[in-house]
Amino acid sequence: MNNMKSDAPLLEVSRLSKSFSSHRGLSRKKAADIRAVNDVSFSIARGETLGVVGESGCGKTTMGRSILRLLEPTAGKVEFGGVDVLGLRGAALRSMRRRMQIVFQDPFSSLNPRMTVGAAVREGILIHQLAHGRDADQRVKVLFEEVGLDPAYVSRYPHEFSGGQRQRIGVARALSVEPEMIVCDEPVSALDVSVQAQVINLLQDLQRDRGLTYLFIAHDLSVVQHIADRVAVMYLGRIVEIASSKDLYSDPIMPYTQALLSAVPRPEPGRQTARIVLQGEPPSPANPPPGCVFYPRCHHPRKDEACTQIIPPLEEKTPGHFAACIKEPPRTVELLMLAAQAAR
Amino acid sequence: MSESLLRVNDLRTYFHDAGAIARAVDGVSFDVARGETVAVVGESGSGKSVTALSILRLIRNPGRIEAGSSILFEGREMLGLSEKEMRDIRGNRIAMIFQEPMSALNPVLTVGEQIAEVVRVHTDASRHEAWERAVEMLALTGMSDPRERATAYPHEMSGGMRQRVMIAMALVLRPALLIADEPTTALDVTIQAQILELLQKLQEQLGMAVLLITHDLGVVAEVADRVVVMYGGEVVERATVTELFDSPQHPYTEGLMNAMPRLDQKTARLTTIPGIVPPSTSWPGGCRFRDRCAYAWERCEMEHPPLYAVGENHESRCHLAIEPDRRQSPHEPLAARAGAHQ
Amino acid sequence: MAAESIGTSTHWTRHVVRHAGFAGGVLALIVVVALLAPLISPYDPIAQPDIIGLKNAAPSFVHPFGTDSFSRDVLSRCIYGARVSLSVAGLATVIAVTLGTLYGAIAGYAGGVIDAVMMRFVDAALAIPRVLLLIAILALWNGLPLWLLVVVLGVTGWFGLSRMVRAQVLSLRELDFVAAARAVGASSPRILIRHILPNVVPTIIVAATLGIGHVIILEAGLSYLGLGVQPPSASWGSIIQDGADQVGSAWWISLFPGLLIVTTAIACNALGDALHAAFDPRHTTGAMAELDS
């Protein structure tokens, strides 16, 4: 599959950070910086789907929006097709927006309740002067067909649609400007299982037909495994592991990834789960622990002082498989023993 | 089967509004034995949450539990009880936890006060005793420093912690039945694992039954003993959890299982259930699933299927039970043919 | 789900429509009467047919609202006064709503320092009681022309609305549909006009409806103090003032315009409340949709 893709990555993100600072009270004193995204680097090849998984607050959504400049990154570099996205201003930025689009999680807040869905899809076409008047209307109808909606619906308002239909409208809006890449920010997590499958299939069909590149952000590990070629795992603002979907799911290296995968409930009753149940909850990003951010909850049998002293770099452990852990990965036997202990 | 703790029989909860009747729950029957876990599975609009609220008689206007419905709890008919008698049962014999703990907790009271309040409403425990029981219950939910945590306000806690508080509040009086409505849906997967483990542990310790309302088949497989699948306000399949996952009989159950991406099997393309749930104001005649079903034939249009017994403790509301050969010839469902426009 | 929420909204909608319908009907009647004043007014409102014989005549069949101390027909004066009262209130409200919406929208959308500075000004303005401010301004002018009265009422009436608009804009601009518009390359003015303001319109309409009632009372108060509408043109407020020193003997001069003011103000408020309820999304999504979502 890799051979089909050109060598130069379409998107290259290096050392991207995004902090939020909160000013509170009359003194406008600066409260602690929250580093939502912390020194994140990765790239995506044209036509590829990179999945990003992590729990709420890990920074995955902020990362997606920073790449699109819907939020202004604090530091780092984003190159899209060789263009430095963070250096763009005004009209140049707006025309770059054509090439990168986004599909949102919430099918309710992502559509303007007082604008017909046809007008919402037409907006980008008009802004970028891809078509005018009747031609633009025609394009909107074709897009509706393409995402599986009746073109007669263009003059309706969002509240007349179900959640799944709204997501299709959101996809049509993203497609309207003929982007090369789409950031899918939890596009199916608000949907019922049967509808979720419809939207996932749609996204896959569109990728095949239009050669799209996806940055697919989700908390559902099964969905990401299904759709992604490669997967990045985020924890507390950092990418802690990144590998091909196959390697990551069959052979996770980071203790966090291991725990995450073992926590997913499997639809097989009676299966004795060797489960690592993580203790506690992720620390606040306003006050991350020193060294490895996962250290306080880590179950690695050989974790020690050293883990708290250096921030583990994302290292290539096996070809194409990067992980941010300074220890040798725990062996399967060790993990089974851990799970057995926990079960007792 | 042993004496059941809860027996819901032909429950009908309708919403009467502006001349239209939404039949949200339309003839639902199932039972829950002492100590067991029964999962009610379904998607939005299936009627599963209304079923849960009906059991506690928490249905508000314009909703109404229709005459002829019956909910027996510990041998008593609950639909005949006065509001005062119901209050004695709620929170005491039957407790409920919700998907979003934040909205179920009072923001201006500490969590300890809220748990103690439950104790004081239902027992004649003194203020001090009630507080001690609250602390003890928080400890049981695995909170470190329960005495300290009891003095915290809900907004000072994370989602997972708040769900633990909800659980402590629900279980402090050792109810015989816990109704858990999507208890882990709002939680991250690692926290979900903690909460499910906790619920199972407490269930064992306290010997209560759990009625779990969920859309997540993975969760069902992990914790349930028996499963009730709902669609269109009705029970469409009822079985033990192993039976259900090994041989789902109703096409809807089958469809749900195939539509779910799975960690252990990589498929190139997900199977979908075309179309959407019809509105509860106008369930189609005959089988309610027929337009979305790959097996539907004339009979499904003419005849509303009963719950057929398809095995020991296994029932399915599908005519395939009496015409099993039809399973060999699936076709494109009507909803898919009516245009790809769903 | 969509179908369910539509189903349950009808109950509310009908309830709201009935109230809005009655209040709106009353207002419409008053407006029509004002518009048709020359046709339906029984007498010339400033004619003084018999300053001695018809002075302070009590309500009768010929003069249903009686006459005033200059023998003028109070009913006719009230009908013409409606034109002045309503147009002063309406135009002043238009000015206030325009200013408040623009100011609030800009502050809310710009955010940061601009927002902070703009809102501190509003806070300061709100700290001064409006009536006091108006009395101070009007007292400086002697015999203020009507159009200037309108401007002064409008310019002093937008502070509260601007805060409401700003608060809404602040929350709207965080919604995903705004991010989506930015993502397809929409400029800030476009986002403000096409995406944000249409969603603020319900607030504006409600505020305007409530505002008209308020300005009618305010104008009446000022005219009563002799600072508002100047003779010989009459507003409801100035008619009350005409009869003020004879309330004991000729109560009808002040009573009827007073009743009109009260009726109009109540109708405005009722309509505003009804519209508020109609636009409130909590009333338009049904309980059922919440139950099983």
Side-chain angles (χ1 to χ4, degrees), chain A residues 107-159:
Chain A
F108 291 88
S109 80
S110 60
L111 290 171
N112 185 344
R114 294 186 186 268
M115 192 183 241
T116 64
V117 295
V121 174
R122 192 168 46 229
E123 184 162 38
I125 297 175
L126 298 180
I127 288 172
H128 294 288
Q129 308 191 331
L130 302 175
H132 302 276
R134 282 169 161 254
D135 286 349
D137 292 342
Q138 191 49 40
R139 265 187 192 235
V140 171
K141 290 189 171 166
V142 171
L143 282 165
F144 267 56
E145 284 276 4
E146 194 173 356
V147 299
L149 287 169
D150 189 336
Y153 290 168
V154 289
S155 50
R156 298 195 181 181
Y157 284 88
H159 72 262

Side-chain angles (χ1 to χ4, degrees), chain C residues 161-250:
Chain C
L161 176 69
S162 77
R163 297 189 71 150
M164 281 198 286
V165 170
R166 169 191 172 259
Q168 277 223 319
V169 170
L170 270 182
S171 61
L172 282 167
R173 68 168 194 176
E174 298 302 323
L175 293 181
D176 284 343
F177 70 78
V178 173
R182 283 178 64 202
V184 294
S187 59
S188 290
R190 185 188 179 96
I191 289 172
L192 204 51
I193 291 163
R194 297 262 297 154
H195 291 275
I196 294 186
L197 284 182
N199 284 287
V200 187
V201 164
T203 309
I204 297 172
I205 291 175
V206 172
T209 321
L210 295 170
I212 288 180
H214 188 70
V215 176
I216 287 177
I217 294 175
L218 202 60
E219 177 270 320
L222 292 169
S223 298
Y224 180 79
L225 294 174
L227 296 168
V229 176
Q230 301 300 320
S233 45
S235 75
W236 292 337
S238 63
I239 302 171
I240 295 178
Q241 206 259 338
D242 290 343
D245 39 7
Q246 320 158 60
V247 175
S249 52

Side-chain angles (χ1 to χ4, degrees), chain B residues 11 21 73 77 87 121 148 150 200 233 252 280 297 317 334:
Chain B
L11 175 68
I21 299 174
F73 176 70
E77 175 56 59
R87 278 202 299 272
V121 165
E148 165 97 29
Q200 280 180 297
Y252 174 65
S280 56
W297 67 100
R317 193 182 290 281
L334 196 66

Side-chain angles (χ1 to χ4, degrees), chain B residues 1 4-11 25 27-33 36-41 47-48 50-55 70-72 177 179 210-213 226-230 233-235 237-239 307 315 317:
Chain B
M1 188 174 291
S4 56
L5 174 70
L6 175 76
R7 171 158 285 169
V8 176
N9 198 17
D10 200 19
L11 175 68
V25 176
V28 164
S29 307
F30 62 90
D31 48 28
V32 181
E36 81 169 335
T37 301
V38 174
V40 178
V41 190
K48 59 187 193 301
V50 178
T51 302
L53 292 170
S54 301
I55 293 170
S70 158
I71 299 172
L72 285 174
L177 174 66
I179 300 176
V210 174
L211 183 65
L212 176 74
I213 314 290
R226 289 192 301 124
V227 188
V228 173
V229 182
M230 284 188 71
E234 299 180 308
V235 173
E237 185 157 7
R238 223 162 36 185
L307 267 176
E315 291 154 292
R317 193 182 290 281

Side-chain angles (χ1 to χ4, degrees), chain B residues 269-282:
Chain B
R269 199 173 167 77
L270 296 172
T271 319
T272 65
I273 305 176
I276 52 173
V277 185
S280 56
T281 44
S282 51

Side-chain angles (χ1 to χ4, degrees), chain A residues 54-57 60 144-145 147-151 153 162 164-165 168 191-202 204-205 208 219-228 245 249 256 259-261 263-271 273 275-282 297 342-343, chain B residues 42-45 48 157-162 164 185-194 196-197 200 215-222 224 241-246 252 255-277 292 339-342:
Chain A
E55 300 181 277
S56 47
K60 54 190 192 298
F144 267 56
E145 284 276 4
V147 299
L149 287 169
D150 189 336
Y153 290 168
S162 69
Q165 289 173 321
R168 289 172 191 269
L191 306 177
D192 276 323
V193 180
S194 65
V195 182
Q196 169 180 301
Q198 295 169 3
V199 174
I200 291 174
N201 286 349
L202 171 67
Q204 286 184 312
D205 293 347
R208 188 194 57 220
H219 69 275
D220 186 326
L221 290 141
S222 324
V223 168
V224 169
Q225 183 199 29
H226 179 78
I227 202 166
S245 174
Y249 282 86
Y256 175 64
L260 204 57
L261 284 173
V264 179
R266 312 289 163 97
E268 298 163 61
R271 168 176 175 274
T273 31
R275 167 166 298 164
I276 310 151
V277 175
L278 284 182
Q279 297 309 306
E281 302 189 12
R297 300 173 79 196
Chain B
E43 300 184 285
S44 308
K48 59 187 193 301
M157 300 186 138
S158 65
M161 279 298 157
R162 286 197 286 259
R164 282 172 198 268
T185 306
L187 303 175
D188 280 319
V189 62
T190 61
I191 310 297
Q192 165 171 288
Q194 293 174 359
L196 290 178
E197 192 172 72
Q200 280 180 297
H215 69 279
D216 188 332
L217 287 169
V219 172
V220 170
E222 298 234 329
V241 71
T242 32
E243 266 282 310
L244 189 87
F245 281 85
D246 287 351
Y252 174 65
L256 268 189
M257 289 190 183
N258 293 334
M260 197 173 41
R262 296 176 62 153
L263 279 183
D264 47 0
Q265 324 169 336
K266 177 111 182 169
T267 42
R269 199 173 167 77
L270 296 172
T271 319
T272 65
I273 305 176
I276 52 173
V277 185
R292 306 177 70 188
H341 314 308
Q342 302 130 4

